[in-house]
């Protein structure tokens, strides 16, 4: 499967943004990229090799934001029971998919839900 260029550019921006958060690290459990803070995942980035459609999965606790994310083309509650805890998978290659800026806002919200207060305070000072 060929990775659409526009989707790949968005994915790269989101990944770079996520890894720029205080204390963020990238790991590859299950062969997929995730960004973690304090040993907890705050965004699932999946794979960028074309073996699976590009997308990001974020935890959105704000009801309005969560509902908005689910209106994106192809968006759905995350699998493995994570959707019940507010995790949403958003595909990047769908027509009408959100832009990198909005995706980064959602990554930041997900980070704020997962990160310890000390790192959130550091983020506030940036």
């Amino acid at each position: 499967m060929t990775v659409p260029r526009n989707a790949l550019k968005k994915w790269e921006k989101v990944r770079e943004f996520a890894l720029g958060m205080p204390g963020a690290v990238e790991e590859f459990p299950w062969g997929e990229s995730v960004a973690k803070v304090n040993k907890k995942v705050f965004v699932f980035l999946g794979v960028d090799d074309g073996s699976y459609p590009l997308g990001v999965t974020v935890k959105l606790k704000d009801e309005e934001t969560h509902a908005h994310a689910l209106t994106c083309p192809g968006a759905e509650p995350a699998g493995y029971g994570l959707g019940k805890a507010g995790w949403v998978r958003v595909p990047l290659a769908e027509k009408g998919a959100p832009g990198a800026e909005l995706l980064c806002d959602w990554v930041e919200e997900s980070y704020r839900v997962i990160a310890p207060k000390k790192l959130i305070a550091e983020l506030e000072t940036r």
Side-chain angles (χ1 to χ4, degrees):
M1 177 187 313
T2 304
V3 178
R5 219 174 108 158
N6 184 35
L8 184 59
K9 285 176 83 173
K10 279 194 270 191
W11 184 88
E12 289 169 344
K13 284 180 182 176
V14 169
R15 178 181 169 272
E16 183 179 334
F17 178 82
L19 295 177
M21 303 300 274
V25 295
E26 184 175 31
E27 292 184 9
F28 297 91
W30 320 288
E32 298 184 8
S33 172
V34 300
K36 289 184 171 185
V37 62
N38 205 31
K39 299 182 182 171
K40 295 180 182 175
V41 175
F42 68 93
V43 62
F44 292 88
L45 295 161
V47 295
D48 65 346
D49 64 4
S51 63
Y52 194 78
L54 275 179
V56 297
T57 303
V58 289
K59 186 169 187 170
L60 302 172
K61 284 295 211 181
D62 179 78
E63 285 183 34
E64 200 172 300
T65 305
H66 186 266
H68 179 232
L70 286 172
T71 66
C72 295
E76 61 188 359
Y80 305 106
L82 293 173
K84 292 177 184 165
W87 289 90
V88 179
R89 183 176 192 293
V90 181
L92 302 183
E94 299 280 332
K95 183 176 178 156
E101 188 174 316
L102 180 55
L103 291 165
C104 288
D105 287 348
W106 291 345
V107 166
E108 183 174 335
E109 180 177 329
S110 188
Y111 175 87
R112 288 174 180 276
V113 170
I114 304 295
K117 288 183 173 114
K118 182 178 104 178
L119 292 176
I120 293 170
E122 185 180 325
L123 180 62
E124 300 289 335
T125 64
R126 288 186 175 187

